[in-house]
Amino acid sequence: MKQLLKALNMIRQCNKRCFWLRIIYVVLQNVLPLVSLYILKYLVDGVTNGESPVIMGVEMNVYMCLGVFCAIFLLNRLVGVMSGVNTDVMQQRLIDYLSDKMQKQSARLDMSYFDNPEYHDTYHRAQQESSFRPLQVLNGFMNLLGSIISISGIMIMLLSASGWIIVVMIVAVIPSFIVRIIKSRQIYAWRRSTTQDYRRTNYYTALLGGRDFAKEMRTFGLAPHFRSKFVEIRLRLVKTLLKISRRLAVYDSICAIVETVALLFVTLFLITSATSGAITVGAFVMLFEAFRRGQSALTGLVGAISGLYDNRLFVGNLFEFLDLEPTIVSKKDALPFPKEVESIEFRDITFRYPKMERDVLSHYNLVAKAGEVTQIEGENGFGKTTLLKLLLRLYDTNEGAVLVNGVDVRDYNVRELRRGIGAIFQDYVRFYCTAEENISFGDIDHYDADRVKYVAHLAGADKYIERLPKGYKTPLGRMFDDGEELSMGQWQRIALARQLYSDAPVLIFDEPTAWMDVPSRDRFYETLDMLKHNNKVIILIKHV
């Protein structure tokens, strides 16, 4: 229940006006049909007996009763229309609100989470449920409120005939309640156990439909292979789900028979009462319809309760993700990162990635000083890129320390530390934005058009950017309209310009010339020599 109330409070915070309007509409939509049913009794009696009932101190004939009945019907319909609009607005606001929360949460978590399959399972479950589960929680509570209002009014009506009708109505719905709870638990357990299967099918879909994979998928003829894997998993999932659903459908059918028997019993009782003169024809119509609506309301109540139980299980997935906490955070008394860096030292570093059994680095030592180009060379898997990640505190060392000006990087403010280190990664990102945005992302808080062009010149990217249809305003990549594709070497120079735009005192280059031609490499080393004389700490990572 705690999770449900937490979700409900989150929905209320998302849009308080829509939340309270939803409650008002639910109350009206459940009270108005009861009033309509009450008026129907007098309308039928007026037609059959010619009576003019007195309702709330007002004597009404048949036509007045009909007018009130139709007015209530119209009002109920209008409330339904307004409720629908309110629900559409609230649903969109909630989706946007939760998307924002999930994006913020994902952005604040450590890199170590992304190396853990369990995290990806957690994120997948949260992502799958976040778009609709919280709204279902709200709907569940509103349905529960509406059902309670309806049942309360109906019970008052049915008590005028016999209390046994109420007992029969309640007993008949108990089996259905039990079946729904069982179904919720089984479906939840099945979905949680098949999370990785669903993630695999998403991955195969990305392979088959993603642009980044298109060349090799076609070159090696891999589409049939991955399609068969996709179909195999989906068939297995559907087969298991059908097995669960069919078994529970048998129980649902038995519940339907029990409810039908209850309806038959109560209807025979009301017919007997009407034919003996114990109740009027209008009362018979009202009580019969009240019982039918009571059954429906109780079914709705059961659905609301079991639905809330079901959603409690799934909403737990969302909060499981939102409750994750980063371990790499700034200390309360964190130091500001220095504007001038004299040295960086990797002192007796030992590190292994989470869930791995071997060390990537073992008792590694290195000192890099300002005004020099410090080269780190090694074979693949040597741990060169890992050093960059440790310096940026994307991970923390298992043993040893990374020092900047003799101070452990763990003592610096994390955000300032990362802003003070300009890095070009081996697997740099190609942002499908404009050329100037791609470059200015190096210091997102300070845009300077002249500096964008200056660092593009230093990186050797200015000439081909200026030849693009809209120059620096040209979108890069073919993901969106008007985008221009670049070669890998051109993309690498864009990434280099982004790094240089940061103007950080520490610059790290991880295989920066891997995709460059000979003239571009020469240009890069000229830029590197110039940067060295600007008293920056420069680390150059190269393969051997």
Side-chain angles (χ1 to χ4, degrees):
M1 193 64 183
K2 183 180 178 181
Q3 295 278 38
L4 291 175
L5 293 176
K6 189 176 177 181
L8 192 63
N9 185 54
M10 183 174 66
I11 296 167
R12 183 184 64 83
Q13 291 176 345
C14 169
N15 194 304
K16 293 181 180 179
R17 181 176 180 273
C18 287
F19 179 81
W20 292 113
L21 277 176
R22 182 66 183 277
I23 291 177
I24 292 170
Y25 290 143
V26 166
V27 171
L28 288 174
Q29 285 180 301
N30 284 276
V31 169
L32 289 174
L34 295 176
V35 176
S36 176
L37 190 57
Y38 182 70
I39 297 298
L40 179 63
K41 171 185 179 300
Y42 291 106
L43 178 61
V44 172
D45 284 340
V47 171
T48 56
N49 303 328
E51 297 178 353
S52 296
V54 177
I55 304 175
M56 297 182 65
V58 179
E59 184 176 345
M60 296 185 178
N61 57 32
V62 172
Y63 300 105
M64 293 175 67
C65 285
L66 178 60
V68 172
F69 184 82
C70 291
I72 293 172
F73 174 82
L74 176 61
L75 179 59
N76 195 34
R77 290 284 288 114
L78 293 175
V79 169
V81 171
M82 292 186 289
S83 178
V85 173
N86 185 70
T87 299
D88 290 342
V89 172
M90 189 162 196
Q91 183 171 6
Q92 191 57 52
R93 294 274 177 86
L94 185 59
I95 289 172
D96 295 342
Y97 177 78
L98 287 174
S99 295
D100 181 61
K101 284 185 75 71
M102 290 193 64
Q103 289 167 5
K104 286 181 179 177
Q105 173 69 344
S106 184
R108 67 190 282 266
L109 293 176
D110 305 333
M111 284 291 295
S112 58
Y113 280 106
F114 295 87
D115 296 327
N116 188 345
E118 292 178 7
Y119 164 80
H120 293 288
D121 289 348
T122 302
Y123 178 73
H124 174 83
R125 287 192 293 264
Q127 189 180 44
Q128 292 293 102
E129 312 298 339
S130 65
S131 62
F132 65 93
R133 286 291 176 183
L135 189 65
Q136 285 190 354
V137 170
L138 176 63
N139 290 339
F141 274 110
M142 295 302 103
N143 291 339
L144 183 64
L145 174 62
S147 295
I148 290 172
I149 293 172
S150 295
I151 291 169
S152 299
I154 286 168
M155 283 185 174
I156 293 172
M157 292 181 184
L158 293 177
L159 278 172
S160 64
S162 173
W164 282 106
I165 297 179
I166 298 174
V167 174
V168 170
M169 185 172 67
I170 294 173
V171 169
V173 84
I174 291 176
S176 178
F177 175 73
I178 295 172
V179 169
R180 291 196 182 203
I181 293 296
I182 293 172
K183 185 175 183 178
S184 295
R185 290 183 67 87
Q186 291 191 3
I187 293 295
Y188 174 77
W190 173 75
R191 288 199 178 279
R192 191 172 181 89
S193 67
T194 57
T195 299
Q196 288 213 6
D197 284 331
Y198 276 102
R199 285 207 295 116
R200 286 184 190 278
T201 59
N202 289 347
Y203 172 63
Y204 297 148
T205 299
L207 288 177
L208 291 163
R211 186 179 187 278
D212 291 342
F213 311 107
K215 294 190 294 292
E216 292 202 28
M217 292 293 288
R218 283 154 180 74
T219 300
F220 298 111
L222 299 177
H225 172 74
F226 285 108
R227 282 188 65 249
S228 66
K229 282 182 169 293
F230 175 88
V231 170
E232 177 188 347
I233 293 176
R234 296 300 300 190
L235 286 175
R236 186 172 71 248
L237 290 171
V238 170
K239 183 179 179 180
T240 308
L241 180 60
L242 281 175
K243 185 177 179 181
I244 296 171
S245 296
R246 284 171 178 166
R247 183 173 64 251
L248 293 172
V250 174
Y251 300 139
D252 280 330
S253 300
I254 295 171
C255 293
I257 293 171
V258 172
E259 291 171 13
T260 303
V261 170
L263 175 63
L264 176 62
F265 171 81
V266 171
T267 304
L268 289 173
F269 173 78
L270 292 176
I271 289 173
T272 303
S273 299
T275 53
S276 66
I279 58 174
T280 64
V281 175
F284 170 81
V285 172
M286 181 188 74
L287 293 170
F288 175 77
E289 188 63 22
F291 179 78
R292 274 203 331 110
R293 293 191 186 186
Q295 276 193 311
S296 178
L298 276 174
T299 301
L301 182 65
V302 167
I305 294 173
S306 61
L308 285 172
Y309 177 80
D310 182 24
N311 287 310
R312 177 188 69 82
L313 298 173
F314 282 100
V315 164
N317 295 331
L318 173 61
F319 289 118
E320 180 184 1
F321 173 73
L322 295 178
D323 289 341
L324 294 175
E325 288 294 334
T327 56
I328 298 178
V329 294
S330 300
K331 297 179 178 179
K332 290 184 178 179
D333 55 348
L335 300 173
F337 193 76
K339 293 183 179 180
E340 294 185 4
V341 176
E342 297 298 326
S343 67
I344 290 175
E345 180 182 359
F346 296 90
R347 181 182 295 174
D348 200 31
I349 297 296
T350 296
F351 175 76
R352 69 173 58 182
Y353 287 101
K355 305 289 186 179
M356 288 186 62
E357 297 181 357
R358 65 176 185 86
D359 293 333
V360 178
L361 294 166
S362 179
H363 302 290
Y364 182 85
N365 292 277
L366 176 75
V367 177
K369 295 182 178 180
E372 301 177 358
V373 176
T374 303
Q375 295 195 35
I376 302 176
E377 298 183 352
E379 299 176 351
N380 290 331
F382 172 74
K384 303 181 297 297
T385 301
T386 301
L387 290 170
L388 168 56
K389 295 176 182 177
L390 293 174
L391 177 57
L392 287 163
R393 278 204 79 193
L394 299 177
Y395 299 88
D396 278 335
T397 61
N398 298 116
E399 296 178 24
V402 182
L403 309 175
V404 175
N405 286 353
V407 178
D408 195 316
V409 292
R410 287 170 286 201
D411 294 329
Y412 289 118
N413 178 280
V414 174
R415 179 172 171 77
E416 289 190 24
L417 168 72
R418 292 171 181 170
R419 287 171 65 94
I421 300 171
I424 177 172
F425 291 91
Q426 188 177 7
D427 53 347
Y428 56 85
V429 175
R430 293 174 289 172
F431 293 103
Y432 296 127
C433 307
T434 63
E436 67 176 0
E437 285 177 314
N438 262 277
I439 296 172
S440 64
F441 285 161
D443 187 356
I444 189 67
D445 297 327
H446 303 93
Y447 173 74
D448 184 334
D450 291 334
R451 181 159 183 78
V452 167
K453 294 178 181 179
Y454 173 67
V455 297
H457 172 71
L458 290 181
D462 55 331
K463 291 183 179 179
Y464 66 81
I465 291 177
E466 290 166 359
R467 291 196 297 266
L468 295 172
K470 297 179 183 179
Y472 285 86
K473 301 289 185 182
T474 304
L476 302 184
R478 295 296 299 162
M479 182 68 72
F480 305 108
D481 289 343
D482 301 324
E484 292 287 327
E485 188 56 271
L486 304 180
S487 69
M488 293 301 293
Q490 290 173 326
W491 272 113
Q492 190 165 39
R493 277 174 276 173
I494 291 287
L496 178 59
R498 179 163 61 243
Q499 177 201 28
L500 297 176
Y501 186 84
S502 68
D503 197 26
V506 180
L507 296 175
I508 303 182
F509 302 89
D510 188 359
E511 285 295 322
T513 61
W515 295 95
M516 293 184 186
D517 53 28
V518 174
S520 297
R521 290 181 186 178
D522 293 340
R523 179 64 173 274
F524 167 73
Y525 285 110
E526 290 176 8
T527 299
L528 201 63
D529 189 59
M530 182 203 73
L531 293 170
K532 180 177 67 175
H533 289 92
N534 288 345
N535 206 40
K536 294 181 182 292
V537 176
I538 299 173
I539 298 177
L540 179 61
I541 297 174
K542 298 175 66 177
H543 289 303
V544 293

